[in-house]
Amino acid sequence: MNAVAKILTGVWIAGVTVAAFLWLPPAQGFRSPESARIVVFHVPCAILTFVAFLVNAWYSWFYLRRREPLLDMKASVAAELGLLFAVLATVTGSLFAMEQWGSAWNWDPRETSIVMLMLVYAAYFVLRGAVEESGKRARLSAAYALLAFPAMVFLIWIMPRIVESLHPTNTLFTGSGLDPVYRITLWSFFVGMMAVFVWMFRLRLRVEMLEARVRRRRQTEPEPTLTGVQP
């Protein structure tokens, strides 16, 4: 992402944030109508959690087919961002719960499912840290990611809908009951955060590539020897 794109993204997100507080009316049907604005920040973070883990599974699949180290790096970076957005979704969701339900944590099915989801992908990084040989680590990580993906879909999309929940449902599309201006603002914030996701992905991937290059250089360079030193 070039400098102009970064500036435009920053302006876009700032504009949407201002609109969320100055343009959106208080939401009807909520215990705290003013704080319902949190929804326009919380939902995009939750969607990006799904997007990031989808990207993780995508690159993991292609790694197992092609065995290219770059694909493993991309899968790992996507999983990192997935955990980051899961934390952001949890924090914003807890703020919403505090205002609407009187407690930051209620063990609601959606709250429980996102904690389980974070544990599943935390184990992905525990696995990566436990295996030293890079090829074996990449293969095991890719296989784990593909096994984790159906669990992720179940925890995000299915479990909260088959268990009674305090959480609002169907807030994304026309006919959901959510005011259209809320949906416009929500999707506008998602667009901005998607751009941030792409920027962070590329930046983190560049760091991973530089670190890999340094590791390879250290492995190929001979260790320095001391000459002319008396024992």
Side-chain angles (χ1 to χ4, degrees):
M1 183 181 292
N2 58 35
V4 174
K6 293 176 185 177
I7 293 172
L8 291 176
T9 299
V11 171
W12 179 272
I13 292 177
V16 174
T17 302
V18 170
F21 289 97
L22 299 182
W23 181 52
L24 291 184
Q28 301 303 316
F30 287 88
R31 173 183 173 183
S32 177
E34 294 288 348
S35 64
R37 294 181 175 92
I38 299 171
V39 168
V40 304
F41 306 108
H42 167 68
V43 175
C45 290
I47 298 173
L48 282 168
T49 299
F50 173 79
V51 170
F53 290 141
L54 174 63
V55 173
N56 167 257
W58 175 268
Y59 283 121
S60 295
W61 168 259
F62 277 100
Y63 174 81
L64 291 177
R65 294 186 63 184
R66 301 178 183 176
R67 304 300 171 95
E68 297 176 6
L70 181 61
L71 295 172
D72 174 60
M73 292 182 192
K74 290 180 177 180
S76 175
V77 169
E80 288 180 6
L81 293 178
L83 278 177
L84 172 63
F85 282 105
V87 170
L88 292 175
T90 302
V91 171
T92 53
S94 295
L95 293 173
F96 179 87
M98 176 70 77
E99 293 297 325
Q100 303 299 336
W101 305 331
S103 175
W105 197 260
N106 301 270
W107 292 108
D108 182 78
R110 288 183 184 268
E111 293 174 334
T112 305
S113 64
I114 200 166
V115 170
M116 295 171 64
L117 181 66
M118 287 189 286
L119 290 175
V120 167
Y121 281 92
Y124 171 86
F125 289 103
V126 171
L127 173 63
R128 291 185 67 86
V131 181
E132 294 185 3
E133 199 274 309
S134 59
K136 183 178 180 181
R137 177 176 62 243
R139 291 192 302 272
L140 290 175
S141 299
Y144 183 93
L146 293 179
L147 291 174
F149 181 74
M152 183 271 293
V153 173
F154 175 80
L155 290 171
I156 289 183
W157 298 108
I158 300 176
M159 176 181 166
R161 288 170 171 79
I162 61 176
V163 181
E164 185 176 352
S165 172
L166 296 170
H167 199 284
T169 58
N170 192 22
T171 58
L172 300 178
F173 305 107
T174 302
S176 64
L178 191 66
D179 193 299
V181 296
Y182 270 80
R183 290 200 303 274
I184 292 171
T185 309
L186 185 155
W187 284 111
S188 297
F189 188 74
F190 171 77
V191 169
M193 292 304 293
M194 189 69 195
V196 171
F197 171 83
V198 172
W199 172 64
M200 293 176 68
F201 181 88
R202 295 177 64 180
L203 183 63
R204 186 68 184 92
L205 180 62
R206 190 188 304 173
V207 172
E208 282 285 322
M209 294 171 66
L210 289 174
E211 290 178 348
R213 190 179 303 170
V214 170
R215 287 193 296 269
R216 287 195 300 268
R217 185 173 298 174
R218 287 177 177 174
Q219 292 172 357
T220 56
E221 289 180 352
E223 294 185 3
T225 57
L226 299 177
T227 58
V229 178
Q230 296 295 327

